[in-house]
Amino acid sequence: MSFETQRFFLERKEGGARFCTLLTPANRKPRGGLLILAPFAEEANKTRRLCLETARTCAAAGWSVLLGDLTACGESAGDFSSTSWSDWLADVADFAGFLREKSDGPLILLGLRLGALLAANAMASGLKADGLFLFCPITNGKQALMQFLRLGAAADLNASEAARIDTRPLRAKLAAGENVEIAGYSLSPALAAGIEATQVTADMSLPAQLAWLEVVSSDPPAATPAVEALTNRLREAGHSLDIRLHRGPAFWQTQEIEQLPELPKEIVALLEKFTEETA
Amino acid sequence: MDIRKELATIFDELLSLGGRSSTFTDATPLLGALPELDSMAVVGVIGAIEERFGIVFDDDEIDGSTFANFGNLVQLIDSKLSA
């Protein structure tokens, strides 16, 4: 099925504009709206192509798909060094509002890695959507921030006992209200604090319908102990959770960019099941 | 859970070793010996270990010697999991 692609900038109330790619099915009413939220920093670079492939595959299956670049990310305007987590939450709300106007049917948020944490946080903060699709999600912001800070602390590591990946000097700078420079990004205290404070938990106010796609390397595919524990808690809290395990490499961090042509198809299949249940 | 096997998979995947990690033994030297393992890759491996095993390392739990050889890293994961 064919679709049309539009690229444009969505203005921000505070000034600046966010780059959006909207894919809409041609000559038919969309099944619903799908907002895709990409990962952060280097993971965004590793997954850009997969996000676009996913958007194309979902649009070909009849979805209106919006790929929105967050403020100061991708092609969007903005100064990264003064961007906060709440700016990104506002972006998500704007993207969702825009997509709701453009398409009938259910509105689903699909977040990959940190994008999933952001989507869950947006919904728990009151954003109305019909479903949440967690795609290899980061569920623990504290862990995510620690991993990012380590990038800034790992230079000149050697195999001696004296060599450390010490993130404490970076944390001290953030605590003093200063930005820290990591892997080409100037991380503000507000963004660091926002990431660190966010976690996907079972008592979060999330839609009843959740989909979860995890890519694992084990054969046969098995959820990691961490994923297993959280999905069990979400089910116990009354969520209907459809989890699928796909065998493959950790594509968001592999040194070479992986081709995973089966993944977008898997996403479409999960989405369809998702909407049958919410319809 | 087979820590050695899981860990070898992490190395193979993240560093694109093309199956070379299946020959790793506890004595296999890593940092300084494996050209693909630069400091950024070390950070990636630590993150992948944390996510896969559901553990979090503090700053003072990891030093350069942790990555001196494969066995040291296995030992650290093992002690975290049984803690």
Side-chain angles (χ1 to χ4, degrees):
Chain A
M1 201 183 304
S2 62
F3 57 86
E4 288 157 8
T5 306
Q6 298 165 57
R7 293 180 183 84
F8 55 93
F9 283 94
L10 193 64
E11 292 297 327
R12 244 177 124 218
K13 275 200 301 283
E14 301 81 357
R18 292 142 309 181
F19 183 70
C20 290
T21 309
L22 178 69
L23 299 88
T24 43
N27 311 317
R28 67 162 281 186
K29 205 173 140 216
R31 305 172 71 110
L34 180 71
L35 171 61
I36 299 182
L37 297 166
F40 166 65
E42 185 55 17
E43 291 189 5
N45 299 329
K46 302 268 188 198
T47 58
R48 184 158 290 125
R49 188 166 167 178
L50 178 69
C51 285
L52 197 56
E53 264 322 298
T54 299
R56 287 193 185 118
T57 307
C58 294
W63 290 81
S64 279
V65 186
L66 182 68
L67 262 171
D69 288 356
L70 299 169
T71 294
C73 297
E75 307 294 319
S76 289
D79 176 8
F80 191 88
S81 65
S82 59
T83 299
S84 69
W85 185 250
S86 52
D87 289 332
W88 287 353
L89 287 172
D91 289 340
V92 176
D94 290 352
F95 293 151
F98 176 85
L99 194 52
R100 196 179 276 291
E101 277 178 23
K102 292 283 166 192
S103 67
D104 296 326
L107 174 66
I108 311 290
L109 264 58
L110 185 154
L112 173 58
R113 301 289 297 155
L114 197 74
L117 187 69
L118 184 65
N121 193 191
M123 285 190 169
S125 314
L127 174 69
K128 293 276 175 280
D130 303 291
L132 174 62
F133 192 132
L134 302 161
F135 182 16
C136 300
I138 287 177
T139 57
N140 183 342
K142 196 176 167 169
Q143 197 179 62
L145 180 69
M146 181 65 162
Q147 289 176 12
F148 191 61
L149 292 180
R150 280 192 195 124
L151 282 179
D156 306 325
L157 187 71
N158 59 50
S160 79
E161 270 177 45
R164 299 239 165 228
I165 304 175
D166 192 351
T167 60
R168 283 167 293 190
L170 295 171
R171 287 185 185 277
K173 269 187 99 172
L174 288 170
E178 291 173 47
N179 279 28
V180 294
E181 308 293 325
I182 297 170
Y185 295 87
S186 177
L187 181 72
S188 70
L191 183 54
I195 293 173
E196 186 161 40
T198 309
Q199 211 178 335
V200 178
T201 56
D203 57 3
M204 221 175 191
S205 161
L206 295 176
Q209 300 284 342
L210 302 174
W212 189 316
L213 176 60
E214 199 64 40
V215 175
V216 293
S217 55
S218 48
D219 185 21
T224 64
V227 169
E228 185 86 33
L230 180 56
T231 51
N232 283 341
R233 285 199 300 275
L234 285 165
R235 284 200 186 97
E236 280 161 21
H239 291 286
S240 147
L241 192 150
D242 200 354
I243 184 164
R244 209 166 282 202
L245 304 169
H246 185 93
R247 188 155 186 261
F251 58 89
W252 56 89
Q253 60 179 163
T254 48
Q255 222 148 55
E256 286 159 27
I257 292 179
E258 300 284 340
Q259 307 294 329
L260 295 158
E262 295 304 316
L263 268 185
K265 291 178 207 157
E266 192 102 43
I267 288 168
V268 165
L270 251 176
L271 272 179
E272 284 181 13
K273 197 157 173 238
F274 210 21
T275 47
E276 275 163 28
E277 285 164 7
T278 52
Chain B
M1 183 171 12
D2 186 341
I3 296 175
R4 283 178 181 79
K5 198 175 153 202
E6 296 265 339
L7 187 58
T9 307
I10 289 174
F11 272 98
D12 217 68
E13 256 181 55
L14 261 56
L15 307 181
S16 304
L17 299 181
R20 266 156 58 208
S21 70
S22 61
T23 63
F24 283 9
T25 67
D26 283 3
T28 302
L30 300 175
L31 204 57
L34 198 61
E36 292 89 346
L37 191 67
D38 58 19
S39 54
M40 292 301 124
V42 166
V43 172
V45 169
I46 296 171
I49 291 170
E50 287 184 327
E51 289 190 33
R52 186 151 319 179
F53 294 99
I55 52 183
V56 182
F57 295 114
D58 288 328
D59 275 345
D60 52 9
E61 287 179 295
I62 295 174
D63 59 41
S65 70
T66 311
F67 277 83
N69 61 49
F70 193 70
N72 284 7
L73 202 47
V74 170
Q75 226 167 48
L76 177 68
I77 298 167
D78 193 33
S79 71
K80 280 295 270 191
L81 287 173
S82 53

